[in-house]
């Protein structure tokens, strides 16, 4: 289709990423405008969501647009056998832009090919989550003052974690060093390690979340072990509580280090960490509104 969509973070060049981050900073200063007056955005969530769906809807509402859509696939005609193709083609008659989350990898790309309006991938299985990446980049830049030459430790579910997959592909523009901390069952997939090697990105792997392994990082990116991605619940039970970040573990980390988490958290970050000045995950979620305002306006040419 001729319309431009955001399906993968690789749809954005380095220059486009920086441009979107600049727009996000402008929206943080003035989030309430009438830029989307007369525009309708459809949010199609075939999978549960709190932050992503609500931040998209907040972004649209604060810019004067209107939102239609659903947050429960059981209320849609999909339960009657309607195909994704038919749903997308029908909804594109009603809206100027579609935001879609779907548990099937590749669903967003397919939707963008059959839609007559731009499609934003709000997560497709364990594949990609590009607007989460944009708010992550915005959060990193805000807290570190730069994106270049940072060490980022990624912890937890690196196998199914679409947010870490997207972040790796975005950060390659900025000469990062990665530390992947995960149990064998949830290690970073080979395709992303190959991507790092092909782009001369330094990385190391560990199986233990220890003070020593996070002492020199600039960003500590925690993730939840995602029960919904497991086909074997016994495997999930083995790894669900494998890592817990505790406040004491942060004593010897860099003063400027910040903790990010795409949320929701379960028990991988202790509640006592919330009061530490290095905890940034709730502010990170707030940044999602501004980053998504910037993405929406860019896709609509506004």
């Amino acid at each position: 289709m001729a319309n431009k969509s955001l399906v993968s973070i690789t749809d954005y060049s380095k220059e486009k990423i920086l441009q979107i981050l600049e727009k996000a900073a402008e929206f943080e200063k003035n989030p309430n405008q009438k830029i989307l007056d007369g525009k309708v955005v459809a949010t199609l969530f075939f999978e549960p969501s709190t932050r992503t769906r609500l931040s998209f809807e907040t972004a649209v509402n604060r810019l004067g647009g209107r939102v239609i859509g659903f947050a429960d696939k059981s209320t849609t005609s999909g339960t009657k056998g309607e195909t994704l193709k038919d749903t997308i083609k029908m909804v594109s008659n009603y809206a100027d832009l579609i935001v879609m989350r779907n548990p099937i990898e590749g669903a967003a790309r397919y939707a963008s090919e059959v839609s007559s309006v731009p499609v934003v991938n709000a997560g497709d299985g364990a594949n990609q989550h590009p607007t989460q990446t944009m708010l992550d980049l915005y959060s990193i830049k805000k807290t570190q003052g730069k994106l270049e030459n940072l060490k980022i430790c990624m912890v937890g579910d690196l196998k199914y974690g679409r947010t870490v997959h997207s972040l790796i592909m975005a950060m390659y523009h900025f000469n990062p060093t990665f530390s992947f901390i995960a149990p064998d069952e949830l290690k970073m997939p080979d395709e992303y390690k190959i991507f790092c090697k092909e782009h001369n990105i330094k990385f190391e792997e560990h199986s233990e979340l220890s003070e020593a392994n996070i002492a020199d990082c600039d960003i500590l990116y925690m993730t939840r072990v995602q029960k919904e991605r497991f086909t074997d619940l016994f495997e999930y039970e083995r790894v669900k509580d494998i890592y817990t970040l505790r406040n004491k573990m942060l004593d010897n980390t860099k003063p400027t280090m910040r903790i990010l988490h795409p949320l929701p958290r379960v028990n991988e970050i202790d509640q006592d960490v919330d009061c530490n000045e290095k905890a940034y995950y709730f502010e990170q979620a707030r940044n999602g509104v501004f980053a998504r305002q910037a993405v929406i306006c860019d896709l609509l040419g506004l």
Side-chain angles (χ1 to χ4, degrees):
M1 301 295 292
N3 62 278
K4 59 179 182 176
S5 296
L6 178 57
V7 174
S8 167
I9 196 62
T10 57
D11 294 336
Y12 277 172
S13 65
K14 178 180 180 180
E15 292 70 27
K16 175 61 75 173
I17 286 173
L18 295 175
Q19 181 185 36
I20 295 293
L21 295 183
E22 288 180 10
K23 284 188 176 182
E26 293 172 6
F27 281 124
E28 181 169 11
K29 295 175 184 175
N30 183 17
N32 299 306
Q33 303 180 43
K34 293 296 183 182
I35 297 174
L36 295 183
D37 188 29
K39 298 294 185 182
V40 175
V41 173
T43 55
L44 312 184
F45 280 75
F46 295 87
E47 196 176 39
S49 172
T50 301
R51 275 147 301 278
T52 301
R53 182 175 63 83
L54 292 181
S55 64
F56 264 113
E57 294 184 0
T58 300
V60 174
N61 286 326
R62 288 195 178 280
L63 293 179
R66 294 179 179 271
V67 177
I68 62 171
F70 54 82
D72 185 349
K73 66 179 180 180
S74 67
T75 65
T76 75
S77 291
T79 60
K80 303 175 184 177
E82 183 173 65
T83 63
L84 178 61
K85 175 184 177 181
D86 287 2
T87 297
I88 295 299
K89 290 186 76 69
M90 179 272 298
V91 173
S92 63
N93 290 326
Y94 304 150
D96 299 287
L97 181 142
I98 294 173
V99 177
M100 187 183 79
R101 170 170 290 187
N102 194 289
I104 300 173
E105 294 184 24
R109 180 67 67 192
Y110 177 72
S112 72
E113 292 170 353
V114 300
S115 174
S116 59
V117 299
V119 172
V120 180
N121 181 8
D124 61 332
N127 186 29
Q128 288 270 329
H129 196 351
T131 61
Q132 176 70 44
T133 303
M134 291 309 302
L135 74 91
D136 290 345
L137 293 175
Y138 187 61
S139 299
I140 293 169
K141 193 169 189 295
K142 277 188 69 177
T143 61
Q144 304 303 309
K146 63 178 183 177
L147 291 172
E148 297 81 6
N149 305 314
L150 297 174
K151 181 168 184 178
I152 300 175
C153 294
M154 296 177 167
V155 180
D157 186 352
L158 307 187
K159 179 179 180 180
Y160 300 112
R162 58 194 173 200
T163 64
V164 293
H165 300 163
S166 291
L167 187 56
I168 287 171
M169 301 185 84
M171 282 299 300
Y172 97 88
H173 296 294
F174 306 104
N175 191 38
T177 298
F178 290 116
S179 178
F180 302 141
I181 302 175
D184 287 342
E185 297 91 334
L186 297 174
K187 289 175 66 175
M188 184 64 70
D190 287 342
E191 63 186 284
Y192 295 101
K193 290 186 282 188
I194 292 171
F195 177 88
C196 288
K197 291 175 181 176
E198 288 178 345
H199 292 88
N200 298 313
I201 297 171
K202 298 182 290 294
F203 70 90
E204 57 193 39
E205 292 187 275
H206 303 281
S207 59
E208 182 183 2
L209 176 61
S210 65
E211 293 182 40
N213 286 339
I214 64 174
D216 63 343
C217 70
D218 299 293
I219 294 292
L220 178 57
Y221 198 102
M222 301 294 297
T223 66
R224 169 179 66 95
V225 176
Q226 303 173 79
K227 183 178 181 180
E228 64 270 25
R229 305 291 175 216
F230 284 78
T231 55
D232 183 346
L233 290 182
F234 289 105
E235 182 182 354
Y236 169 74
E237 291 295 328
R238 281 199 308 272
V239 298
K240 67 175 183 177
D241 297 321
I242 194 163
Y243 301 135
T244 301
L245 180 67
R246 307 185 190 282
N247 204 31
K248 184 66 177 175
M249 298 170 68
L250 303 173
D251 287 351
N252 296 318
T253 55
K254 291 182 177 181
T256 56
M257 186 271 274
R258 291 296 179 266
I259 305 160
L260 302 185
H261 191 309
L263 301 176
R265 72 163 160 196
V266 183
N267 51 13
E268 61 277 359
I269 300 179
D270 253 6
Q271 297 283 333
D272 64 356
V273 175
D274 295 354
C275 296
N276 194 302
E277 64 179 7
K278 297 175 183 179
Y280 194 75
Y281 27 90
F282 294 121
E283 293 89 342
Q284 175 189 3
R286 177 176 179 267
N287 290 338
V289 173
F290 316 127
R292 287 170 174 135
Q293 285 180 321
V295 168
I296 290 169
C297 290
D298 179 73
L299 290 177
L300 292 175
L302 302 173

